[in-house]
Amino acid sequence: MHEAELRPYIEACQLGERRAQRFIFERYYRLMFGVCLRYMSDQDSVQDVVQEGFLKVFNNIEGYTFKGSFEGWMRRIMVNTAIDAIRRRNAAGWVLGDEGSFEPVDQDEGWEMEEEEGETFTVHDVLDAMEHLTPMYRAVFNLHVFDNLGHQEIADRLGISVGTSKSNLAKARRNLRNLLLTRKGKDHHVE
Amino acid sequence: MSSEHPFDEQLKNAFQGFEPDVHANWMEFESSLEKPSPSAGTDASGMSRWAVAAAVIAGGAFMWVAKPTVEEWLVDDVNSMEFVSMEGEGAQSFDQLWEDFASVTEDFVSDVLNAEGEAALAELGAEAADSPLESVTNPTSGSVSVNAPTSDGATAKSRDNAAETSVSNKLPSEERLLAELPFDASVREACEGVEVAFELSGLDRSMSFLWNFGDGHFSSDPAPRHVFNRPGTYDITLSIRPPGDGMIRTRTIQNMITVLPKPEAQFGWVFPASVSGKKVRVHLQDQTPDATATQWVVDGQSTRDNRVQLEVPGVYPVNLVASNKYGCLDDAKHEIRLGDRNGILAQARFSPNGDGHYDTFMPHSLLDMEDAWEMVIVDRDGQEVYRTSDASEPWDGELPDGTLAADRSVFQWTVRCVANDGVIRLFTDRLRVER
């Protein structure tokens, strides 16, 4: 369904129309579940986050002005909700990543192109590997790679420095890569 | 900013179109949603006091300002909903309705100007506002407002959840009626094109009524029936003026009527290029966008099969009843016309022997037919032996192998016509060769 075809449903949601809300909910639930699943693995937690995210979507939908993609707008709400949930859950130990290491890390550190050429990973491979990342690594990686945030935005969002964001990204990427290749039968060290 | 790292791209590819197999449990989610609330209002008791006081101060001047204010309000409603104009069929002009509704009689002016004293009224108004009976607290049921000018000339109009009551010597039940305006509709959710009836509980037909249906149409009928022809959610506003009472009470129930879209049932059909025998196999084609279920009714017989056998000649009414995901229905109706040689002035036999009499075959009606047409002739085995769309090229009995059709052999011709308006017809019959 194109965004233009979606417009009447969004407008009806802005009027509080239940059927339209249901349409949007059912149309996007699985997609948004997939978005949140990248940030946390526990299905019950993801479900809670998605529900909370949709509540925010409908409570704030009057603020959506049809500038930019509606799906992108919803996705940002879901990601923010997921990040908030992770922070709440890890209130004491949120900074489980590389906070403290302010040395910029070469983003291509340890990258060996030849080894990955031709390798394909399934969603489940990647999700399994992500489970082994710390919440901070995972959040930084997802925000940068999948949700297209720059390091400054990530730093602002997560309350870390830009250097830490870069460092965490590089390490998250390296760990993910090694985890995935290990599962493919190749021996790699995971930090 | 997007990542351009090759590894990242591999992972993004893995997630392309990823939607986990989970169930979107709307029922559970809906329970966590807040109930729809009307637009924010003002403090109920305070507003009530202001409205009552304003009514007393301004008295008869009310009519000078109430009309444009309410009219503007109503027009705003219409504009915001982007619905049909008031010029639509059956719509009365607002001015005309308003004049009927708010016509000022001598009695009316007298009643207003001789209303109770300001202090007494304010006191009564305060009591009314404080009374549970006078308060409308249901957030989905709208509110009552009393239109009256304030001391600075503006019109007091509240659309909050509280009731402003007029102050007059009404019976308690009537007072409550005026305060709450408990109107309702026969249905709250209807498919477009379905008539909805509105009525005020405890209706007193001696009052003047003005209903705004939120779609650009109004009625001054006490208990009107209205057909909504566009899907959407409509705010319904009722304004009433009791006889001998200067106050016009209005109440808007926001999102009161939800009109669901109905499908636009459409269908066509396809005839075979050629026919063998007296029955034509017609392929019905449902062209309804967004239909979730369809039912055919062919010549009075209900069927779900879209391939039907129809005997020639005959005129067959065909209905398609389509429903959409909202459960709304629509139907489309056409007639399928199947004719034999009598319908197209075709001979039953011809004699391709060169004697100048009936040497060729061409239905007479095709000679001057304006429709696009095509004629196909098949042998007893259904094999095509001749095809033309040119009336100047009748069949002369020659077969595809160059021989002439044998004496007493039987063929079947079929003519399909398509009129400029898209209506298609079929004629078919047998043709016997006699040398």
Side-chain angles (χ1 to χ4, degrees):
Chain A
M1 175 179 275
H2 298 296
E3 291 270 328
E5 295 172 279
L6 209 57
R7 185 166 182 135
Y9 294 92
I10 298 170
E11 288 175 339
C13 285
Q14 290 174 333
L15 295 171
E17 191 2 71
R18 275 284 187 274
R19 283 173 181 272
Q21 289 174 341
R22 180 173 186 166
F23 176 87
I24 295 291
F25 179 81
E26 291 178 344
R27 167 73 180 78
Y28 285 104
Y29 185 85
R30 290 172 50 166
L31 189 64
M32 294 304 141
F33 201 98
V35 168
C36 297
L37 204 52
R38 285 193 274 102
Y39 286 85
M40 50 181 65
S41 305
D42 172 45
Q43 295 265 333
D44 289 340
S45 301
V46 175
Q47 186 175 331
D48 290 344
V49 165
V50 175
Q51 296 235 6
E52 187 183 343
F54 270 108
L55 272 177
K56 290 179 181 173
V57 164
F58 293 132
N59 286 337
N60 295 286
I61 199 165
E62 284 182 40
Y64 176 66
T65 55
F66 298 94
K67 290 174 184 167
S69 148
F70 179 67
E71 183 183 312
W73 181 78
M74 271 204 304
R75 188 185 287 262
R76 282 193 296 280
I77 290 177
M78 293 293 170
V79 168
N80 287 340
T81 307
I83 294 290
D84 289 343
I86 296 167
R87 294 188 76 152
R88 280 199 303 270
R89 194 164 54 181
N90 299 284
W94 161 241
V95 187
L96 298 176
D98 203 29
E99 183 65 294
S101 171
F102 292 94
E103 286 181 26
V105 176
D106 179 358
Q107 291 190 31
D108 285 332
E109 181 188 359
W111 183 255
E112 297 166 42
M113 275 292 292
E114 313 77 57
E115 291 187 19
E116 281 71 43
E117 275 183 10
E119 290 287 359
T120 56
F121 307 115
T122 67
V123 169
H124 300 293
D125 290 338
V126 181
L127 287 174
D128 284 349
M130 281 182 177
E131 278 193 54
H132 293 85
L133 298 180
T134 66
M136 179 64 90
Y137 278 12
R138 189 171 181 171
V140 170
F141 186 81
N142 273 306
L143 287 172
H144 183 76
V145 174
F146 290 97
D147 297 307
N148 302 322
L149 264 63
H151 285 293
Q152 185 61 58
E153 291 174 284
I154 294 172
D156 293 344
R157 187 73 191 83
L158 301 182
I160 58 176
S161 68
V162 169
T164 300
S165 175
K166 289 181 179 175
S167 166
N168 284 0
L169 173 68
K171 290 183 177 177
R173 181 183 286 137
R174 188 171 60 216
N175 282 354
L176 266 182
R177 165 182 158 269
N178 291 344
L179 282 161
L180 285 164
L181 292 177
T182 299
R183 284 172 177 267
K184 293 274 181 185
K186 298 176 181 177
D187 187 26
H188 286 270
H189 171 67
V190 178
E191 288 184 9
Chain B
M1 179 182 292
S2 62
S3 170
E4 294 177 353
H5 205 289
F7 177 68
D8 298 350
E9 291 305 313
Q10 281 180 291
L11 300 196
K12 284 161 106 172
N13 288 339
F15 276 91
Q16 195 70 38
F18 173 56
E19 293 188 10
D21 187 18
V22 289
H23 173 58
N25 191 336
W26 166 255
M27 303 298 278
E28 181 183 321
F29 175 72
E30 188 182 24
S31 63
S32 63
L33 274 172
E34 289 177 26
K35 298 290 182 193
S37 59
S39 55
T42 54
D43 174 83
S45 60
M47 195 65 202
S48 174
R49 289 165 197 267
W50 275 108
V52 171
V56 174
I57 294 165
F62 160 64
M63 293 306 298
W64 291 93
V65 294
K67 181 196 171 191
T69 304
V70 176
E71 183 173 4
E72 181 186 347
W73 171 29
L74 293 172
V75 171
D76 281 348
D77 266 359
V78 173
N79 290 341
S80 67
M81 298 300 284
E82 296 181 344
F83 285 124
V84 295
S85 75
M86 289 169 56
E87 305 305 319
E89 186 179 343
Q92 288 180 269
S93 76
F94 179 81
D95 282 336
Q96 186 184 343
L97 285 165
W98 182 266
E99 190 177 327
D100 294 343
F101 171 65
S103 58
V104 180
T105 65
E106 286 184 11
D107 287 344
F108 166 66
V109 173
S110 172
D111 286 343
V112 171
L113 296 180
N114 294 315
E116 294 88 335
E118 179 177 345
L121 288 175
E123 185 181 342
L124 281 170
E127 286 172 8
D130 293 336
S131 164
L133 288 177
E134 306 298 344
S135 297
V136 180
T137 55
N138 182 347
T140 63
S141 66
S143 63
V144 179
S145 67
V146 178
N147 288 309
T150 59
S151 55
D152 61 0
T155 298
K157 181 178 70 177
S158 82
R159 298 179 72 174
D160 60 12
N161 292 336
E164 276 74 46
T165 62
S166 71
V167 183
S168 58
N169 295 323
K170 302 292 182 187
L171 294 173
S173 59
E174 191 176 353
E175 192 69 54
R176 188 163 60 247
L177 175 75
L178 293 175
E180 296 179 358
L181 294 189
F183 68 86
D184 207 345
S186 53
V187 291
R188 292 295 183 108
E189 197 172 79
C191 296
E192 62 179 297
V194 173
E195 192 176 67
V196 181
F198 295 88
E199 192 166 11
L200 174 67
S201 298
L203 173 69
D204 175 357
R205 287 180 181 270
S206 66
M207 297 180 183
S208 296
F209 291 80
L210 182 61
W211 296 82
N212 175 1
F213 301 114
D215 62 351
H217 287 84
F218 305 89
S219 173
S220 55
D221 194 280
R225 306 176 78 84
H226 181 62
V227 176
F228 294 87
N229 289 316
R230 293 276 298 275
T233 305
Y234 296 86
D235 297 351
I236 306 299
T237 300
L238 169 63
S239 300
I240 67 164
R241 181 175 65 77
D245 185 341
M247 296 303 156
I248 292 175
R249 283 88 171 167
T250 63
R251 179 188 179 200
T252 297
I253 299 184
Q254 294 180 336
N255 304 326
M256 182 181 190
I257 303 294
T258 298
V259 178
L260 304 168
K262 68 175 185 180
E264 294 290 332
Q266 301 169 30
F267 72 94
W269 60 91
V270 176
F271 290 132
S274 62
V275 176
S276 294
K278 296 290 279 182
K279 287 191 173 178
V280 178
R281 190 174 177 83
V282 181
H283 183 193
L284 304 172
Q285 295 181 323
D286 174 17
Q287 297 162 349
T288 310
D290 301 322
T292 53
T294 53
Q295 178 82 37
W296 297 99
V297 182
V298 180
D299 201 21
Q301 300 294 313
S302 183
T303 177
R304 289 195 179 277
D305 192 349
N306 64 346
R307 293 178 188 277
V308 292
Q309 298 255 32
L310 303 177
E311 195 161 339
V312 180
V315 178
Y316 300 91
V318 178
N319 287 61
L320 171 67
V321 182
S323 64
N324 62 11
K325 60 184 177 184
Y326 302 108
C328 295
L329 301 175
D330 190 28
D331 75 306
K333 180 182 179 182
H334 293 292
E335 284 184 342
I336 296 179
R337 294 175 175 271
L338 304 175
D340 59 10
R341 62 188 179 85
N342 296 315
I344 200 167
L345 302 180
Q347 64 264 40
R349 55 185 69 84
F350 81 128
S351 55
N353 55 11
D355 67 358
H357 296 287
Y358 302 108
D359 285 336
T360 59
F361 173 77
M362 176 61 66
H364 191 71
S365 294
L366 294 180
L367 299 178
D368 57 0
M369 180 169 283
E370 292 182 357
D371 296 357
W373 60 269
E374 182 184 62
M375 178 173 73
V376 175
I377 300 175
V378 299
D379 62 19
R380 294 180 74 100
D381 298 321
Q383 296 298 310
E384 182 180 323
V385 298
Y386 188 70
R387 179 186 291 250
T388 184
S389 296
D390 186 347
S392 67
E393 292 184 3
W395 187 40
D396 59 7
E398 185 179 345
L399 299 176
D401 62 3
T403 62
L404 285 176
D407 187 26
R408 299 189 178 182
S409 56
V410 176
F411 298 84
Q412 182 145 2
W413 57 267
T414 301
V415 174
R416 292 183 298 172
C417 310
V418 183
N420 289 334
D421 59 4
V423 174
I424 60 175
R425 293 176 295 163
L426 180 140
F427 301 89
T428 187
D429 216 329
R430 289 185 176 179
L431 176 65
R432 182 182 169 94
V433 176
E434 291 183 356
R435 297 193 180 280

